[in-house]
Amino acid sequence: TEAQTSLRHAPSLFASTPPPAGLSCHLLPSPHPATRSALPVGLVQRTCEPPARRVLRPSVGSPLGELDPGFPVSFLRSTSSNRRRMECVVQGIIETQHVEALEVLLQGLSGVPKERVRVHELCLKSGPNLGVVPSEVRLLCDLAQSTPSWTIRHVGGAMRGAGAEQISVLVRTIVESKASKNVLHYFYTIGYKLDHELLKIGFAFRFQRGAQITVTVTSTNKMSKLHATDEAVPVTPGIQLVEITAPAAADNYNDVVSAVTAFCEYLAPLLHLSKPGNTTGIVPTAGSAAASLMSSGGVKTL
């Protein structure tokens, strides 16, 4: 049967862009032609199990409480490459004019080359046929590679409890899995609908510093036409998002939180980093700090 999908753009990101008309899933193959392929039969058979929810507990008596993945964990059981793990994350914003100084600082602190980031992110939400508990999943297409690759990503619930409120880093569950090239068509077929899509462009540094830390600096772009990544325009011109993440486990998240918190101190003159949703805005010292970094040679000084 012909399933209809709709785009309900998030008001904060898409207020100026009218949603496209409903589209048939049969007419919506992968937005990136180079990634199209047949739907893997094994994936269909295994992922049509009844949804199940599980609560992950970091450790017995943990002061941070429980972790709720908020997603049918059986959904990705069919592939051997999927991972359910914990993640520590903080976010902040920086003016585009200071991004070069931040890059110089990160290069000096990490000692590794930056990686190019160009990711087409599609946010899908479950339809009524998938159960009464709504779920949200993100499909990430890495366009920075010569052959685009797809990843399924679900951001689960954050740690709860008095201890979680006392730390400046958000600890949450993440479910990830590599996906086949026709994954978007597959999700349309089983009842998910496209809510919105973004194109994130920037760079990232990945390095070890008390934990395996990834710092990503990107501009978020929206598209006026469905999947038109070549026509994407910035959502917030002049502002870029900085995100620091680090994988964690039930037995080491305290150490990872400490490592991320300590690293954030190095970036404090340029930007303030906090839990997602608690962004405090531009740091007043960013301009002078950026000028000092650029005039002093940055990496040489570090």
Side-chain angles (χ1 to χ4, degrees):
T1 60
E2 188 175 79
Q4 297 293 325
T5 62
S6 63
L7 291 172
R8 299 184 308 278
H9 290 165
S12 61
L13 299 181
F14 298 93
S16 62
T17 305
L23 295 163
S24 167
C25 74
H26 295 291
L27 301 178
L28 289 177
S30 166
H32 307 289
T35 69
R36 296 175 187 168
S37 72
L39 185 66
V41 177
L43 184 62
V44 176
Q45 293 174 340
R46 294 300 303 276
T47 57
C48 291
E49 303 171 7
R53 291 174 65 88
R54 290 172 54 186
V55 172
L56 309 182
R57 302 177 183 276
S59 60
V60 177
S62 167
L64 296 183
E66 299 177 345
L67 277 170
D68 181 359
F71 189 66
V73 296
S74 62
F75 195 83
L76 301 178
R77 192 178 297 158
S78 61
T79 62
S80 59
S81 61
N82 63 35
R83 295 185 299 161
R84 185 175 65 251
R85 56 182 172 82
M86 296 165 62
E87 177 183 75
C88 297
V89 59
V90 290
Q91 292 180 345
I93 57 175
I94 188 171
E95 291 179 288
T96 301
Q97 61 182 329
H98 302 322
V99 166
E100 185 179 0
L102 176 60
E103 180 183 339
V104 168
L105 180 58
L106 290 171
Q107 179 71 67
L109 291 170
S110 66
V112 299
K114 70 176 182 180
E115 302 175 15
R116 178 171 169 257
V117 173
R118 186 178 176 86
V119 174
H120 184 190
E121 179 177 305
L122 301 100
C123 178
L124 308 179
K125 292 189 175 181
S126 59
N129 62 306
L130 294 176
V132 295
V133 179
S135 66
E136 180 179 296
V137 64
R138 295 177 183 271
L139 306 184
L140 310 178
C141 185
D142 186 356
L143 301 178
Q145 307 300 322
S146 56
T147 301
S149 62
W150 288 85
T151 300
I152 304 171
R153 178 178 173 89
H154 170 74
V155 178
M159 279 187 168
R160 301 187 295 266
E165 299 297 326
Q166 296 171 6
I167 60 176
S168 59
V169 177
L170 183 71
V171 184
R172 64 191 182 188
T173 54
I174 293 292
V175 181
E176 281 188 340
S177 178
K178 293 298 182 182
S180 65
K181 299 175 182 179
N182 208 19
V183 63
L184 179 58
H185 178 78
Y186 170 71
F187 272 93
Y188 285 150
T189 302
I190 64 174
Y192 276 80
K193 296 182 178 181
L194 181 63
D195 186 69
H196 63 270
E197 58 180 346
L198 302 168
L199 179 66
K200 295 184 177 181
I201 303 173
F203 60 88
F205 287 90
R206 306 178 195 274
F207 53 92
Q208 182 73 32
R209 195 182 182 96
Q212 187 59 44
I213 294 176
T214 299
V215 183
T216 307
V217 183
T218 56
S219 64
T220 302
N221 300 268
K222 63 181 179 180
M223 288 147 277
S224 58
K225 300 177 183 178
L226 190 68
H227 307 328
T229 54
D230 291 338
E231 302 175 18
V233 295
V235 174
T236 53
I239 299 292
Q240 298 202 23
L241 175 70
V242 180
E243 183 176 75
I244 298 180
T245 59
D251 58 353
N252 76 341
Y253 64 83
N254 280 321
D255 294 336
V256 176
V257 167
S258 298
V260 171
T261 302
F263 183 76
C264 289
E265 294 297 323
Y266 290 103
L267 309 184
L270 286 174
L271 73 157
H272 177 72
L273 292 151
S274 58
K275 294 178 180 178
N278 296 337
T279 303
T280 57
I282 303 297
V283 174
T285 60
S288 58
S292 176
L293 267 170
M294 298 306 293
S295 63
S296 62
V299 174
K300 182 178 179 181
T301 302
L302 288 168

